[in-house]
Amino acid sequence: MRDCLNHRAGFDRVLMTVAATFLTVSASSALAQDQGRSSAAELAIEAAIPRPEPANVPPPTASDIKLDTTATLQDASKEPAKAEAAPAPAKIEPKPSDVATTPATEAPKSETAKTEPAKSEPAKAEPAKADTATAPAAPAAPAAEPVKAASNVPAADQPVADKLKDIIGAKTSRHFDRKNERAAIEKFYGARDFAPVWTQGGSLTPAAKGVIARLKDAASDGLNPADYPVPDFAAATTPDALADAELKLTASMFDYARQAQSGRMHWSQASGDILYPEHPVDPNEVLAKVTTATDASAALDSYNPPHKLYKELKAKLAELRGQGSGPAIEISDGPALKYTPAGKKQAEIIVEDPRVPQLRAKLGITENANDTRYDAAVAEAVRKFQSGAEMKATGILDDKTVKALNTPKRDKQIDVVLVNMERWRWLPRDLGAPAIGDAYVILNIPDFTLKVMQRGQQVWTTRVVTGKPGKHATPLLTETMKYITVNPTWNVPPSIVYNEYLPALQQDPTVLQRMGLRLEQNRDGSVHISQPPGEANALGRIRFNFPNKFLVYQHDTPDKHLFAKEERAFSHGCMRVQNPDQYASVLLNIVMPNEKYTPERIRSMYGKSEIDLKFPTPIPVNITYQTAFVDDAGKLQFRKDIYGRDAVMINILKNSRGKDIENVVAHSQPSYSRPATTLPSGVAVANNGGGFGSSGPNFFERLFGAGPPTPPPAPVGRRPPQQRVFTR
């Protein structure tokens, strides 16, 4: 019995093994079938989720099937047929196993949520699963498509815009060798999607025509048209050629604006004793101003100097070139004409001659135009003409003067006018101070005159004495006069101390005492020489202070007789004023009109103590070098080139090529130091060596009461300074 039970148990185990094997084979077969429909990931998710009853799930309808909107946007333009065929799966009867896998749509939830965030039914999510299989293609959609469609570039100009983008993006210096200009180009064209501004559909715009007209007429402003080449737009028939012409015209416009405003050559190229404030153009402003102006030619022309005297020279340049109107006036030959003023023992002698009316017209004398008398006014005009023509200024109309009047050296005169126009570009655009009616002082060295201007009118004028040619030449500068000093102390400049007075002491130890000068020597051996206030002071009774690095100023003088001379270049660089008391009262009444200063009130301050009268508003002082100018009668006047400035500039402008002459030339700077000196025996020393332990206040501080002027900032928009050094 026990054996039978054992056999039965063994049989049961065999049956269980066979059943298990059958179930395993069946399951493997079913799994193999499901693998044809589902991926491994789907099966894994399916195994973890309860299987719903198939009888409770209705079959899907066409409305239950939703297309992936992202995928549709991507492919709609390329494959419209796919979008239309998408609803076809609605006709397929889903199997229970298909429905059971729908929860797998939660895996790409971040993508499907964008299209159907409110859908939560498993049956309706099934088609979405099929669409999400293509969702990874969505990031490949070209982001530039909407931007390109919104571009404002006309279709006809798009090829040129594309070429401009390539050229500008390359950041090469083929067209622009200045960083600020390249930056302006990138900003300007980038803001307009690189659309050309000078052409539309291959034709020139009104702005381009205006710019081209101004560039071609550059000679009328004393500039060289060859420096501003105009590309041939008519020959530019391809996008490459049009883009190249576009940038070339822009580069020429930049060059014109820059040189019209600041000059073809930097003032430091001419000499080391010139210092004017820089006023470079901003390329961004040039582009904006010219391209948006109603008249692009006028906008570009506005970079030329606005000053009245510049515009008058421009008109005279046209006349010299034969573009003016009116017949030429020729003076006939005849006897010499001389005017003799009245003297102590003789009366005034005035001769008459029928040629005098023509002479008056030739010299621009409008008063008594038909008068045949060779009077003082005519003789003075002849004297000025002779001086400008580098002849002996006698005031006598002789054969040589008549020949010079009839056959002027026109080419040379044109050159002189051109360099004078160039120098006007160096000056500030606003010469005066707006707070005091645009008042300013302007001094013309070759004409030896000083004028006070206010509201565009001459307020006062006087004669001046300027520096000797050579190392004592009066510098050209623009500064502001901050105060005047009545009864000034003369602090002798170091150049005079060490080059003149100390050598003189070696010959005569008492010379400084006899001149009324005071010598001080500090413990370090340095020397300072000064002259106390008084009638015999070298600066006279008044000094006009506009602190500058050249240590020059304007002042009175005890040597009044020099003002009677025609050429008055006698000083060490400072400017002596003929009527300083009147000059002081004019300036003080401009800055303090309620104080009612008069020359008499100024003279009442004369004494032994210094008195500083400070200006509430500083007055600009402009020291200029005008060898050609138009006088009040409208006559073109020429003056002798006493410092040789014209000759240097003409040579540079005619013989230099390229833009190198725009570069800044470094020059040696003035030194205010005083080296130790051994004085000869017998020299009277005021402080007997008990002065400063060091050299004490330098000359600038003694003169103007402050430290040396701050060096001007590096010019903006100009190339780096050359390493050439010229000494004064």
Side-chain angles (χ1 to χ4, degrees), residues 401-418:
T401 304
V402 170
K403 184 177 180 180
L405 284 165
N406 291 333
T407 58
K409 299 176 181 178
R410 190 167 295 268
D411 290 343
K412 182 177 180 181
Q413 289 180 331
I414 289 175
D415 288 341
V416 172
V417 170
L418 289 177

Side-chain angles (χ1 to χ4, degrees), residues 618-703:
I619 298 180
V621 176
N622 304 283
I623 311 300
T624 68
Y625 193 84
Q626 303 174 54
T627 54
F629 60 92
V630 179
D631 62 17
D632 294 338
K635 176 67 179 177
L636 178 61
Q637 298 286 346
F638 291 95
R639 294 293 181 266
K640 185 178 179 180
D641 183 19
I642 57 173
Y643 293 166
R645 300 273 191 256
D646 290 354
V648 171
M649 292 181 63
I650 291 171
N651 180 60
I652 292 175
L653 292 175
K654 283 191 171 184
N655 299 321
S656 298
R657 293 293 180 265
K659 303 172 186 176
D660 288 343
I661 58 176
E662 293 185 62
N663 294 345
V664 180
V665 176
H667 296 274
S668 61
Q669 298 299 305
S671 174
Y672 312 119
S673 63
R674 298 185 298 274
T677 301
T678 301
L679 297 175
S681 59
V683 175
V685 180
N687 60 349
N688 196 26
F692 295 98
S694 64
S695 60
N698 63 36
F699 180 73
F700 188 97
E701 293 167 337
R702 287 180 183 269
L703 180 59

Side-chain angles (χ1 to χ4, degrees), residues 94-371:
K95 296 180 181 180
S97 61
D98 293 335
V99 177
T101 61
T102 55
T105 56
E106 291 179 7
K109 183 176 181 181
S110 61
E111 296 180 11
T112 57
K114 295 179 183 178
T115 56
E116 289 192 357
K119 300 295 181 180
S120 61
E121 299 179 24
K124 294 184 180 180
E126 169 62 21
K129 186 182 80 171
D131 288 339
T132 55
T134 62
E145 286 296 327
V147 177
K148 190 171 183 179
S151 173
N152 294 322
V153 181
D157 293 329
Q158 190 61 55
V160 181
D162 292 340
K163 294 298 180 182
L164 285 171
K165 184 176 181 180
D166 292 342
I167 296 173
I168 295 172
K171 299 184 182 296
T172 60
S173 59
R174 183 172 54 150
H175 299 93
F176 308 97
D177 56 359
R178 287 170 169 78
K179 290 183 179 179
N180 63 336
E181 292 179 358
R182 289 200 298 273
I185 286 295
E186 293 172 9
K187 180 180 178 182
F188 176 79
Y189 281 98
R192 50 188 289 116
D193 295 332
F194 298 94
V197 71
W198 306 128
T199 60
Q200 286 183 353
S203 300
L204 289 174
T205 62
K209 293 177 181 178
V211 170
I212 291 172
R214 176 54 48 193
L215 297 182
K216 289 184 175 180
D217 192 41
S220 66
D221 277 290
L223 301 172
N224 185 2
D227 292 337
Y228 322 107
V230 175
D232 186 0
F233 281 92
T237 57
T238 65
D240 283 315
L242 283 170
D244 184 65
E246 173 88 12
L247 296 179
K248 283 181 177 177
L249 183 60
T250 305
S252 290
M253 178 187 70
F254 279 159
D255 290 343
Y256 181 96
R258 188 181 63 255
Q259 295 183 0
Q261 176 149 309
S262 298
R264 294 166 61 191
M265 62 179 290
H266 192 265
W267 40 259
S268 62
Q269 296 272 345
S271 176
D273 53 5
I274 304 175
L275 182 62
Y276 288 121
E278 299 281 354
H279 47 270
V281 297
D282 179 1
N284 294 285
E285 190 266 347
V286 174
L287 279 168
K289 181 177 182 178
V290 176
T291 59
T292 60
T294 304
D295 186 345
S297 178
L300 193 53
D301 180 50
S302 67
Y303 290 99
N304 285 295
H307 313 108
K308 177 178 179 246
L309 289 175
Y310 170 85
K311 294 180 178 179
E312 290 174 342
L313 280 179
K314 177 179 177 179
K316 293 301 179 182
L317 176 64
E319 292 181 13
L320 288 173
R321 286 172 168 167
Q323 301 169 8
S325 58
I329 301 174
E330 187 165 332
I331 309 299
S332 304
D333 293 334
L337 302 180
K338 179 181 179 181
Y339 166 76
T340 304
K344 293 182 179 180
K345 296 183 179 180
Q346 66 177 23
E348 180 185 39
I349 301 175
I350 300 177
V351 298
E352 293 193 35
D353 192 285
R355 297 173 295 166
V356 174
Q358 286 77 26
L359 185 61
R360 289 176 181 270
K362 186 83 173 181
L363 297 174
I365 303 174
T366 57
E367 187 177 358
N368 301 322
N370 297 320
D371 195 338

Side-chain angles (χ1 to χ4, degrees), residues 422-442:
E422 178 76 1
R423 284 193 287 266
W424 274 106
R425 303 184 195 280
W426 301 344
L427 287 165
R429 287 300 181 261
D430 295 322
L431 298 177
I436 48 178
D438 290 319
Y440 63 91
V441 174
I442 186 166

Side-chain angles (χ1 to χ4, degrees), residues 410-648:
R410 190 167 295 268
D411 290 343
K412 182 177 180 181
Q413 289 180 331
I414 289 175
D415 288 341
V416 172
V417 170
L418 289 177
V419 295
N420 276 271
M421 293 173 72
E422 178 76 1
R423 284 193 287 266
W424 274 106
R425 303 184 195 280
W426 301 344
L427 287 165
R429 287 300 181 261
D430 295 322
L431 298 177
I436 48 178
D438 290 319
Y440 63 91
V441 174
I442 186 166
L443 186 146
N444 183 6
I445 295 172
D447 193 47
F448 306 104
T449 55
L450 176 152
K451 296 180 180 179
V452 179
M453 307 291 292
Q454 189 177 31
R455 299 181 179 87
Q457 302 296 322
Q458 177 179 306
V459 176
W460 186 78
T461 186
T462 190
R463 290 186 164 201
V464 296
V465 172
T466 62
K468 303 173 186 176
K471 64 181 181 179
H472 296 305
T474 296
L476 308 185
L477 57 85
T478 290
E479 274 296 348
T480 54
M481 188 183 299
K482 298 175 173 59
Y483 65 103
I484 62 177
T485 302
V486 182
N487 309 314
T489 296
W490 181 37
N491 294 288
V492 183
S495 60
I496 299 178
V497 170
Y498 289 94
N499 296 331
E500 299 181 25
Y501 286 174
L502 292 184
L505 285 175
Q506 302 294 333
Q507 304 296 324
D508 182 358
T510 65
V511 64
L512 296 184
Q513 284 180 289
R514 290 187 286 103
M515 294 174 63
L517 300 178
R518 172 188 174 94
L519 185 148
E520 301 171 71
Q521 186 171 31
N522 300 303
R523 287 193 295 271
D524 65 356
S526 61
V527 171
H528 175 72
I529 299 177
S530 61
Q531 185 180 27
E535 186 176 359
N537 188 283
L539 306 185
R541 290 294 191 175
I542 307 174
R543 185 181 69 218
F544 303 86
N545 306 289
F546 42 96
N548 59 87
K549 75 172 188 177
F550 301 110
L551 307 179
V552 297
Y553 41 86
Q554 296 165 354
H555 61 88
D556 183 18
T557 177
D559 298 325
K560 303 291 188 181
H561 66 282
L562 296 177
F563 293 108
K565 296 183 177 294
E566 285 299 316
E567 290 188 14
R568 298 183 288 276
F570 300 109
S571 78
H572 282 75
C574 289
M575 295 137 278
R576 307 172 189 173
V577 183
Q578 184 175 21
N579 300 298
D581 53 349
Q582 296 178 28
Y583 185 30
S585 66
V586 168
L587 296 177
L588 289 168
N589 283 325
I590 288 175
V591 297
M592 295 183 286
N594 295 329
E595 295 295 327
K596 308 298 182 185
Y597 278 94
T598 62
E600 291 75 20
R601 182 178 174 184
I602 297 297
R603 290 194 295 271
S604 69
M605 301 179 187
Y606 292 173
K608 297 293 185 180
S609 300
E610 287 191 349
I611 301 174
D612 288 336
L613 301 175
K614 297 184 178 180
F615 294 173
T617 302
I619 298 180
V621 176
N622 304 283
I623 311 300
T624 68
Y625 193 84
Q626 303 174 54
T627 54
F629 60 92
V630 179
D631 62 17
D632 294 338
K635 176 67 179 177
L636 178 61
Q637 298 286 346
F638 291 95
R639 294 293 181 266
K640 185 178 179 180
D641 183 19
I642 57 173
Y643 293 166
R645 300 273 191 256
D646 290 354
V648 171

Side-chain angles (χ1 to χ4, degrees), residues 337 359-360 363 365 374-389 391-398 401-402 405 566 637 639:
L337 302 180
L359 185 61
R360 289 176 181 270
L363 297 174
I365 303 174
Y374 192 82
D375 56 16
V378 179
E380 178 63 20
V382 169
R383 184 179 293 106
K384 288 184 176 180
F385 170 80
Q386 291 169 331
S387 176
M391 303 170 61
K392 186 176 181 180
T394 62
I396 300 173
L397 183 70
D398 52 18
T401 304
V402 170
L405 284 165
E566 285 299 316
Q637 298 286 346
R639 294 293 181 266

